[in-house]
Amino acid sequence: GGGGGGGGSGGDDLVGDRLRQDAIKRQRAGSPPPPPSSSTSSSSSSSSSSSSSSSSTSSSSTSASSSSNSGGGARLRKYKSQKLSSVNIKREKLEMKCHAGLAEVFGNHTFVGSIDHQYALVQHQTKLYVMDATQIFKESIYQEVYFRFSGFEKIRFSSPLPLYDLLKLALDNARPGSQANHNIALQFSEFLVGQEIMLSEYFSIEVDVETKSLATLPQIIDNYIPQMEFLPLFLYALCTDVNWEDEILCFKTMARALADFYTLKAPLEHDDDGAAGGAGDGEQSTAWKMQHIMFPSLKRNFCP
């Protein structure tokens, strides 16, 4: 889930990247491809258009085809352009790196059934695939954080949840019996209160500054609420795993923390029908969520 392309054969890879970028921009703008010419002219036309790429990307990104698989393996998404260039660049890289063959499988599969909390069976044409649903969902959620960045709907708690209590619970689980847990939980809760503006504006995580309580979470996947028994660990990860010093690394590690929290996983507790315990799960079993929420989301949005 990291950033741009890796090493390669120097100039050829650079030209290839520019051609793919041009293909994506032409698809968004609805313009026909240029006539065949040398790679040098294609490269120079790409570089001449790069000076206006930020503005053309801003104006055309909202009209991108939401589930197109055609053209260089890119799967274009509808999204609102961001003022932050790092987010726009990351979105383009995710689209460019989309594998056409895998996009076809995910975009046109038939869900057969879940094997357990981690694995599922799907069919594409005449082939059956066993998929590690936990890891695939995690990568899909990571992508959704970028594509919905600063535009999330909100999951609002009926009563805000005290940050100290949640963090103390996570610390007691990680460091049972430690006398330092109280002070660390206080320090961490104060830290998250201090990050309230950015958390709210970019990720729809609202913190009540007066009561030092968590009020909302982002709706990353439509109609899906994460397993709330893992909420204390998520808040702990915000304080220990997110890089708050560098913009690009901050968004990347934040997206990873959200993906770890939101992905389907074996619950800490089970009820009689195997459904995940905790607030928000209700009567929906993991198998039901796989079939009716997560895999349909992969079909619409995932860029494998």
Side-chain angles (χ1 to χ4, degrees):
S9 57
D12 290 342
D13 287 347
L14 179 60
V15 170
D17 287 343
R18 287 175 172 171
L19 291 175
R20 283 191 292 272
Q21 289 177 8
D22 277 354
I24 290 175
K25 291 172 184 174
R26 285 194 300 273
Q27 272 190 292
R28 287 176 174 166
S31 59
S37 60
S38 67
S39 60
T40 303
S41 63
S42 297
S43 175
S44 62
S45 66
S46 172
S47 61
S48 66
S49 64
S50 64
S51 61
S52 60
S53 62
S54 59
S55 60
S56 62
T57 300
S58 299
S59 62
S60 63
S61 60
T62 56
S63 61
S65 171
S66 64
S67 60
S68 172
N69 266 348
S70 61
R75 189 171 193 179
L76 303 185
R77 294 285 308 275
K78 282 185 179 179
Y79 52 78
K80 189 180 297 184
S81 183
Q82 286 295 315
K83 293 179 292 185
L84 297 171
S85 61
S86 62
V87 176
N88 290 326
I89 291 170
K90 180 64 174 180
R91 289 167 167 177
E92 289 190 1
K93 287 181 177 179
L94 289 171
E95 290 178 328
M96 285 174 57
K97 294 177 69 175
C98 184
H99 187 283
L102 290 175
E104 164 64 23
V105 171
F106 282 103
N108 296 284
H109 73 269
T110 298
F111 182 84
V112 176
S114 63
I115 298 173
D116 54 22
H117 287 96
Q118 182 171 0
Y119 294 98
L121 190 66
V122 304
Q123 180 177 350
H124 178 256
Q125 297 179 354
T126 60
K127 295 182 179 180
L128 290 174
Y129 298 89
V130 176
M131 294 190 173
D132 187 334
T134 296
Q135 293 303 317
I136 292 170
F137 294 158
K138 186 182 295 186
E139 184 62 26
S140 176
I141 292 164
Y142 172 80
Q143 294 179 6
E144 284 299 299
V145 173
Y146 280 98
F147 285 119
R148 300 193 184 201
F149 188 91
S150 195
F152 299 99
E153 298 294 328
K154 297 175 182 178
I155 301 170
R156 187 171 297 277
F157 297 107
S158 56
S159 298
L161 306 177
L163 291 171
Y164 170 83
D165 293 348
L166 294 168
L167 289 163
K168 181 69 159 50
L169 187 62
L171 285 160
D172 286 343
N173 183 66
R175 304 151 44 97
S178 173
Q179 298 298 316
N181 288 350
H182 168 72
N183 289 333
I184 295 174
L186 285 175
Q187 180 182 351
F188 281 0
S189 60
E190 290 287 350
F191 174 78
L192 291 179
V193 168
Q195 304 298 328
E196 184 272 336
I197 294 176
M198 192 190 79
L199 289 171
S200 176
E201 180 177 355
Y202 295 156
F203 303 105
S204 293
I205 299 175
E206 292 184 1
V207 173
D208 187 314
V209 176
E210 292 186 1
T211 63
K212 299 177 183 177
S213 298
L214 180 68
T216 68
L217 288 171
Q219 185 80 68
I220 300 177
I221 301 295
D222 294 338
N223 304 312
Y224 174 70
I225 297 176
Q227 294 159 267
M228 289 299 164
E229 65 263 43
F230 295 100
L231 179 58
L233 295 177
F234 168 65
L235 295 176
Y236 180 77
L238 293 188
C239 300
T240 58
D241 297 340
V242 173
N243 184 326
W244 295 94
E245 303 300 322
D246 178 86
E247 178 181 302
I248 293 176
L249 289 177
C250 178
F251 295 158
K252 179 179 179 179
T253 52
M254 185 73 185
R256 283 296 173 204
L258 284 163
D260 287 341
F261 175 34
Y262 276 67
T263 192
L264 282 176
K265 44 195 171 286
L268 298 177
E269 298 178 0
H270 295 269
D271 56 24
D272 292 338
D273 67 355
D281 286 297
E283 299 179 354
Q284 295 180 356
S285 67
T286 300
W288 190 95
K289 291 177 184 177
M290 278 191 185
Q291 180 176 0
H292 297 285
I293 297 178
M294 304 306 287
F295 272 95
S297 176
L298 294 176
K299 183 176 286 190
R300 292 188 301 270
N301 300 324
F302 188 40
C303 297

